[in-house]
Amino acid sequence: LPSFKMVQQIRQFQVVGRKRPTDVDPTPKIFRMRLFTKSKVTAQSRFWYFLHQFANMKASTGEILGVTEIREANPRVIKNFGILIRYQSRSGTHNMYKEFRDVTLCGAVEQMYQDMAGRHRARYSTIHIVDAKEVPSGLKATAAYNPETDGAVPPPAVQRLNIKQFLDSRIKFPLPHRIPRPSQK
């Protein structure tokens, strides 16, 4: 029998870390990141990779305060997700916004990696997720926006046409070419 390698799913982690306290700076600034990786160890590694770009810190001069996995609250309901990414191509660095439908944010991120590999030949290591969040649709997006109660920034709505086509409540999926099969030969 052939042995099938199990594909490890992408999971969402929250990593919290800071520079190690010294006499000069006894209470250093704490940094928190949400990262999409396959394991806790990879999440810590990506945390130091990004933190070295933002602040003058690295794993040898800092410490990780905690790593927790973030799980989806309700993975039984389909939702729309918007993912803002920056990726490195052969010609330069590009920013991109993509929308996906899935039951979990991690599932939408996996779709995004597959889509970027297929459409743009972008590898996992060249893609950096800047922001990933649920994008409301239906009543949440069309409700009257009030800046006093809802905040200064209006909630985003679904923008991409390939996602908007699924928001119609009367959507149908017809099967036009059904061939009746004989019950007996």
Side-chain angles (χ1 to χ4, degrees), residues 38-49:
K38 294 184 179 185
S39 70
K40 185 177 177 179
V41 175
T42 315
Q44 291 178 9
S45 174
R46 296 293 281 177
F47 174 78
W48 291 120
Y49 171 78

Side-chain angles (χ1 to χ4, degrees), residues 74-94:
N74 188 4
R76 294 180 300 275
V77 178
I78 193 158
K79 297 174 273 296
N80 307 310
F81 294 101
I83 303 174
L84 180 65
I85 62 171
R86 169 176 284 168
Y87 80 100
Q88 191 75 31
S89 72
R90 294 181 186 100
S91 60
T93 304
H94 309 282

Side-chain angles (χ1 to χ4, degrees), residues 81-147:
F81 294 101
I83 303 174
L84 180 65
I85 62 171
R86 169 176 284 168
Y87 80 100
Q88 191 75 31
S89 72
R90 294 181 186 100
S91 60
T93 304
H94 309 282
N95 294 323
M96 192 177 289
Y97 175 75
K98 290 187 156 294
E99 288 179 351
F100 299 96
R101 282 174 67 81
D102 207 298
V103 291
T104 63
L105 181 56
C106 294
V109 168
E110 280 189 17
Q111 282 186 47
M112 183 270 306
Y113 279 120
Q114 292 295 323
D115 186 60
M116 292 298 293
R119 291 180 194 265
H120 304 283
R121 302 288 188 262
R123 309 292 186 269
Y124 173 83
S125 59
T126 65
I127 300 171
H128 300 157
I129 298 174
V130 177
D131 192 19
K133 59 187 166 194
E134 183 180 346
V135 180
S137 63
L139 292 175
K140 289 183 197 172
T142 58
Y145 165 68
N146 186 357

